[in-house]
Amino acid sequence: MFEEELAHCALCPRRCGANRAAGERGVCGATDALRIARAALHFWEEPPVSGDAGSGTVFFSHCPLHCLYCQNAPIANGCIGADVSVERLAKIFLELQEQGALNANLVTATHYAPHVLAALRLARAAGFSLPVVWNTSGYETVETVQRIAPYVDTFLTDLRYARAATAKAYSHAADYPCVARAALAAMTRTDASVIVRILALPGHLDEAKENVRFVHETYGERVMLSMMSQYTPPDSCAHHPLLGRTISPEEYEELLDFADGIGCEEYFWQDGDAAQESFIPDFFSLEGVRGNELH
């Protein structure tokens, strides 16, 4: 279905040119097969995304970024997930709607953008009417943002780094700061609402502050900030000199105080010791993945 487009893949900023249509894996790890790890109600997003009903979250396998500290590494590496058809994904959207989901929340779907858009078109023709959330690391091309924008009601995007050296060290993507800011600018030019997540990383509170200031001074009320304290070091970072610990309550409070001090009047924040809470579902069960296709 997408042979020509995937024959020289440029869907993400890596623009690796992999011939995914012929089974070659891109930097993201994906071939032309659509692979997902979970499709179920999720209650740990920001209030307008989860609401009381829960967000109909679809977790896509593989990832263009591959961060050193990834908490969903088995998904990002493609170890967890099952290959499904576009017709099955369309049916999943309808099933989430039947379960009472507040929206369809597409997590790390960039490398499957053609598949997802085709599934959304099929689902809408069959009665799917939920809002769509594009839940992304922020590592997007402007072209992909523009392409998906007509289908997206909310961009839920990260802004992880302010400096190229940090982005290169942790995500092998020195271009992340400029790429993510360009993608954010494109998101704000759409009709969708935009929520920008600032994940406070230990040892890099200055970069978090820099990104908070940038978003606030550049976009003001057009963008809602979400300050996240939930960073939890995976086993692979247990002995890392900076990433081997969580953010302290004092550090997180310093970030919130900074936001208040520069005039941020409304933003989301996390109560208590978020790093000790379970924001990661059981992916091994492949909940909601297998089932009937849309006919």
Side-chain angles (χ1 to χ4, degrees):
M1 184 182 296
F2 316 111
E3 288 84 357
E4 183 175 348
E5 183 171 14
L6 296 181
H8 192 81
C9 190
L11 290 173
C12 86
R14 303 283 190 190
R15 301 185 191 273
C16 67
N19 188 353
R20 292 171 57 192
E24 184 177 347
R25 296 189 183 276
V27 174
C28 63
T31 64
D32 62 339
L34 172 61
R35 188 171 179 84
I36 63 175
R38 187 176 191 262
L41 297 179
H42 191 63
F43 296 89
W44 296 284
E45 308 285 31
E46 285 75 4
V49 177
S50 289
D52 295 325
S55 182
T57 308
V58 182
F59 288 86
F60 292 85
S61 301
H62 299 296
C63 177
L65 211 50
H66 295 292
C67 299
L68 179 67
Y69 51 84
C70 181
Q71 293 180 321
N72 294 339
I75 291 178
N77 295 333
C79 298
I80 295 179
D83 293 345
V84 301
S85 66
V86 166
E87 291 77 14
R88 172 58 193 152
L89 181 57
K91 183 66 173 177
I92 284 171
F93 292 149
L94 291 165
E95 290 170 354
L96 291 171
Q97 181 169 273
E98 292 166 2
Q99 293 170 30
L102 186 62
N103 47 56
N105 184 351
L106 313 180
V107 182
T108 318
T110 303
H111 46 299
Y112 297 121
H115 308 72
V116 170
L117 296 183
L120 283 171
R121 287 191 288 267
L122 286 174
R124 291 209 166 147
F128 175 74
S129 60
L130 292 182
V132 173
V133 178
W134 191 262
N135 191 333
T136 170
S137 68
Y139 198 57
E140 302 275 6
T141 67
V142 170
E143 293 85 356
T144 295
V145 171
Q146 292 172 335
R147 178 179 182 181
I148 64 175
Y151 299 83
V152 173
D153 297 273
T154 299
F155 283 103
L156 181 57
T157 183
D158 296 344
L159 195 54
R160 298 190 182 183
Y161 313 111
R163 297 173 192 166
T166 310
K168 180 179 180 180
Y170 294 165
S171 298
H172 310 288
D175 61 346
Y176 179 97
C178 61
V179 163
R181 290 187 180 195
L184 175 58
M187 293 172 192
T188 63
R189 291 192 292 267
T190 72
D191 295 329
S193 61
V194 182
I195 301 173
V196 175
R197 287 173 162 174
I198 305 292
L199 176 63
L201 291 173
H204 297 282
L205 198 62
D206 54 341
E207 291 191 61
K209 292 178 181 178
E210 188 173 336
N211 280 331
V212 168
R213 182 184 293 279
F214 167 77
V215 173
H216 174 66
E217 294 183 350
T218 305
Y219 301 108
E221 295 181 358
R222 173 66 181 92
V223 168
M224 178 65 78
L225 282 162
S226 179
M227 314 296 191
M228 304 181 74
S229 63
Q230 70 186 56
Y231 172 76
T232 303
D235 292 342
S236 59
C237 291
H239 302 293
H240 191 280
L242 294 178
L243 299 179
R245 65 174 181 86
T246 60
I247 284 286
S248 71
E250 292 77 18
E251 288 171 311
Y252 186 54
E253 190 63 34
E254 182 180 337
L255 179 61
L256 300 186
D257 288 344
F258 175 81
D260 294 338
I262 64 172
C264 296
E265 296 183 355
E266 290 189 31
Y267 53 83
F268 300 115
W269 71 91
Q270 295 180 312
D271 291 321
D273 194 354
Q276 299 303 316
E277 298 182 32
S278 178
F279 293 91
I280 304 175
D282 172 19
F283 293 116
F284 290 93
S285 66
L286 298 181
E287 182 179 359
V289 174
R290 303 186 188 280
N292 297 327
E293 297 183 343
L294 180 62
H295 298 291

